[in-house]
Amino acid sequence: MAQTIAFLGAGSMAEAMISGMVQSKQVTPNQIIVSNRSNTNRLNELKYKYGIQAKKREQLDFEKIDLFILAMKPKDIDSVLESLKPHLNPQQTIISVLAGISTSYMEDHLPEKQQVIRVMPNTSSMIGESATAIAPGAYAPKDRITFTKTLMESFGEAYVIDEDQMDIFTGIAGSGPAYFYNLMEHIEQAGLEAGLDSEIARSIGAQTILGAAKMIQERDESPTELRENVTSPNGTTAAGLKALDKHRGGEAITAAIKGAATRSKEMAKQMEKPPLATH
Ligand SMILES: NC(=O)C1=CN([C@@H]2O[C@H](COP(=O)(O)OP(=O)(O)OC[C@H]3O[C@@H](n4cnc5c(N)ncnc54)[C@H](O)[C@@H]3O)[C@@H](O)[C@H]2O)C=CC1
Ligand SMILES: O=C(O)[C@@H]1CCC=N1
C-alpha cells in the first residue's frame, strides 16, 4: 500500500487504528503521519511508540498526503474542514471516523466532489480485532472504497454498509466494546465478592466472553442453539438465565444499542441545524 496516510487527531481512536495498522505490516510506519491541534507531547509519544511521523498542523506537506483520516471529536469538524479545504486536490480522500457526521455534511464543506468516506471502527483496532463499517460518500471512486476496505481490514473485520445503517452500526460495534467492559466490571465484582482473587476473576470473565464469541464465529450454530446447549434442565444456567431475565438483562443490552444509535442520529441532526444568528 504505497500511500501516505495523515491522521488529524491523535486521541485514543487514532492510536488504536495506528497500532493495528503498524502491527499488520500492511502499512509501513513511515507511511503514517499523525497530527493534532497543539499537544506535541502526545505526538512525540505516538512517534516513538509506533515509529511513525509526527507533525504539527503547520508542518504538514498537504500535497504529499493521499489519505486524510479525521480522528478529532465531532465538535471540531467545522474548523478542521475549513483548514483542509484550501489545500485539497481531487485525488485526495478524506476518511472520517467521527460519530454522527454524515458524508454529505463533509462534502458540503469541502471542495466540490471531494472524495469522502465515512468509517466507524472501534478501539479493538488496537489489537487487530475491530468491527469497522465503511460508508462511501457520493464521489468516492470504487478503487478508493476497495483501498479503504483493505486498510480497515488491516486491523480487523470491515463491512461496506449504506450510510443510513451507520447509526445502528455505531450502537452495536462503535460503542459496543464499552458494554462488554461494563459487563466485565460486573463479572469481576461478583467474583471478588465471592472471594476470588481479582486477577483470576478478570481472567475467567475475559476467557468466557472470548470463548463464547469464538463459538459464534467458528461453529455453525445460532446463539440460541449455543445458549440451549449450555442450559441443563433445572441446572445452574437455567437459574442464571432466570435471574438475568428477571433483571431484564437482554432488554438492557437492546436499550444500550438503541440509545447509542439514537445519539448518533441526534448528533447528525444537530450538525444540520443552521448556526444561531448573532446580533
Ligand atoms: N473512542 C472510540 O471508541 C471511538 C471514537 N470514534 C470517533 O473518533 C473520534 C475521536 O475520538 P477519541 O479518539 O475517543 O477522542 P480523543 O479526545 O481521545 O482524541 C481527539 C483528538 O483530536 C485532536 N484534535 C482536536 N481538535 C483538533 C483539530 N482542530 N485538528 C487536529 N486534531 C484535533 C485532539 O488533540 C485529540 O488528539 C470521535 O469523533 C469519535 O466519534 C469512532 C469510533 C470509536
Ligand atoms: O462515544 C462516542 O461518541 C464514540 C463513537 C463510538 C465510540 N465512541
Side-chain angles (χ1 to χ4, degrees):
M1 282 190 206
Q3 303 273 339
T4 302
I5 301 163
F7 281 86
L8 306 185
S12 49
M13 198 55 242
E15 177 169 5
M17 294 169 85
I18 291 167
S19 165
M21 282 180 194
V22 169
Q23 282 177 62
S24 78
K25 300 208 164 55
Q26 289 195 47
V27 182
T28 58
N30 65 7
Q31 282 176 260
I32 302 174
I33 305 167
V34 66
S35 173
N36 67 6
R37 193 165 32 190
S38 54
N39 185 346
T40 42
N41 286 343
R42 172 64 175 163
L43 290 187
N44 283 330
E45 181 192 340
L46 294 177
K47 176 177 170 175
Y48 293 116
K49 200 162 167 189
Y50 299 103
I52 59 176
Q53 303 182 58
K55 293 196 174 163
K56 287 185 191 161
R57 158 83 181 72
E58 58 275 15
Q59 295 172 326
L60 285 175
D61 193 350
F62 286 92
E63 278 181 17
K64 296 206 173 117
I65 297 166
D66 302 290
L67 254 155
F68 292 89
I69 301 188
L70 309 187
M72 76 295 301
K73 291 288 186 198
K75 69 174 174 52
D76 295 311
I77 185 71
D78 286 345
S79 65
V80 170
L81 294 179
E82 201 179 311
S83 67
L84 261 182
K85 194 174 176 177
H87 302 284
L88 293 174
N89 69 54
Q91 276 71 48
Q92 291 169 314
T93 309
I94 312 298
I95 295 182
S96 161
V97 309
L98 280 60
I101 306 289
S102 68
T103 55
S104 62
Y105 184 85
M106 291 182 276
E107 285 158 358
D108 287 349
H109 291 76
L110 288 170
E112 215 183 325
K113 300 197 173 171
Q114 191 71 45
Q115 302 174 20
V116 170
I117 299 177
R118 187 174 163 193
V119 300
M120 178 50 60
N122 66 33
T123 47
S124 306
S125 307
M126 187 71 118
I127 53 155
E129 294 291 355
S130 179
T132 305
I134 299 163
Y139 312 109
K142 225 173 172 178
D143 63 333
R144 274 301 155 127
I145 301 167
T146 308
F147 178 82
T148 303
K149 184 159 185 279
T150 308
L151 187 63
M152 299 298 124
E153 281 169 348
S154 73
F155 49 78
E157 298 292 327
Y159 313 83
V160 178
I161 62 169
D162 290 336
E163 192 166 0
D164 61 6
Q165 299 167 332
M166 201 48 118
D167 298 316
I168 187 64
F169 190 97
T170 303
I172 295 172
S175 299
Y179 316 149
F180 291 100
Y181 297 135
N182 188 241
L183 180 64
M184 273 299 305
E185 289 172 310
H186 284 87
I187 291 174
E188 210 177 312
Q189 189 56 33
L192 270 176
E193 281 170 17
L196 282 179
D197 176 81
S198 77
E199 235 172 83
I200 292 180
R202 186 173 298 183
S203 173
I204 298 170
Q207 180 58 30
T208 305
I209 293 177
L210 180 72
K214 280 193 166 173
M215 285 289 278
I216 291 173
Q217 282 186 335
E218 292 175 20
R219 305 275 305 178
D220 196 16
E221 288 161 295
S222 69
T224 303
E225 286 168 317
L226 291 167
R227 173 175 55 71
E228 284 169 356
N229 289 346
V230 191
T231 314
S232 312
N234 206 24
T236 60
T237 316
L241 288 172
K242 194 173 165 197
L244 195 64
D245 200 40
K246 186 177 161 207
H247 291 275
R248 300 184 183 277
E251 286 167 47
I253 286 295
T254 308
I257 292 169
K258 286 187 178 168
T262 302
R263 179 66 192 134
S264 171
K265 243 187 214 120
E266 251 171 41
M267 285 161 73
K269 280 234 161 67
Q270 275 167 10
M271 296 305 292
E272 281 161 19
K273 275 189 199 150
L276 292 175
T278 48
H279 298 284

